[in-house]
Amino acid sequence: MVRHLGLKAYGKINLGLDVLRKREDGYHEVRMVMQTVGLYDRLDLIYRNEPGIKVETNLYYLPNNENNLVYQAASLLMKEFGIRQGIHIKLRKFIPVAAGMAGGSSDAAAVLFGVNKMFGLGLSQRQLMERGVKIGADVPYCVMRGTALSEGIGEVLTPLPPVPQCQVLIAKPGVSVSTRMVYENLRVHELAREQHPDIDAITAAIGKGDIHQMAALLGNVLETVTVPAYPVIGQIKTLMIRYGAIGALMSGSGPTVFGLFTNPKAATAAYEDMRYGKGTSLVKQVYLTNFYNRREKEQGT
């Protein structure tokens, strides 16, 4: 029995995001290239003799009940395996919330990993991924992490070779974007072919280890909805390219934008200007990190 676990839940970006169609069940069929980044939330899982799930967060507006994905993740495994003891989850958020970086899904994935280890359930990574999709489409990927092709509703995953390392500048403007609104206003079949990213070409560039070719192919079909509705997203992309990024893109349904830099000095200068200089008028949160490509069994590293 493990009485305490300290875990890291890493965020993700989409190097490519295409939507193929809307299914009869209401879900959208997607093809995405997912990439874990070094920005993470911290979770402490503490064993309790008393039954029940207690959630504590550092953000007052996050729910601490069954509406929080970490609660749902713990509840899923504890109910399935009849665990009568309790667990206290302390969540410290650093990944921007509702920002297209799968922060909530990653937190849930970390809790699945942690509950499995704490109570000795013996579930494999694949078995955790199969359960994770019940919580959210991004959760299986967040269990696996690294570089991957994501298909279906996001649950069909194919590991890809690691992308060559670079600096990743992450900037979130002070706007909130509804994922539902974005998908409801997406007209997949009305879009021109060039508005859809070439996912196969992106994966081929990754396979060759050609980060410049990959960066030139970055694409997110959801930008066709989100950028016109929130022009600041496009402005941040333009600014990052001006700073020297080899590519910039909105992640997920937004509003977070990331820029890829192969020049560390340019990346640092861009970060400092966005945090302290003229760029502050466009962004509310900004982080400088890199790719995270380690696939250890231990999520606590």
Side-chain angles (χ1 to χ4, degrees), residues 168-181:
V168 183
L169 182 63
I170 294 170
K172 182 189 177 187
V175 298
S176 296
V177 174
S178 163
T179 300
R180 175 177 290 183
M181 180 280 291

Side-chain angles (χ1 to χ4, degrees), residues 1-2 5 7 111-122 298-300:
M1 177 70 67
V2 179
L5 283 172
L7 304 173
V111 170
L112 289 175
F113 173 90
V115 170
N116 182 49
K117 185 173 183 179
M118 177 169 282
F119 295 100
L121 305 182
E298 299 295 329
Q299 288 215 8

Side-chain angles (χ1 to χ4, degrees), residues 214-257:
M214 183 206 75
L217 293 164
L218 294 176
N220 182 345
V221 75
L222 299 182
E223 285 190 347
T224 61
V225 176
T226 313
V227 173
Y230 303 94
V232 66
I233 294 171
Q235 293 168 7
I236 294 172
K237 288 179 62 180
T238 299
L239 189 59
M240 287 187 175
I241 297 297
R242 192 181 305 156
Y243 283 137
I246 60 172
L249 192 70
M250 180 183 79
S251 187
S253 57
T256 295
V257 176

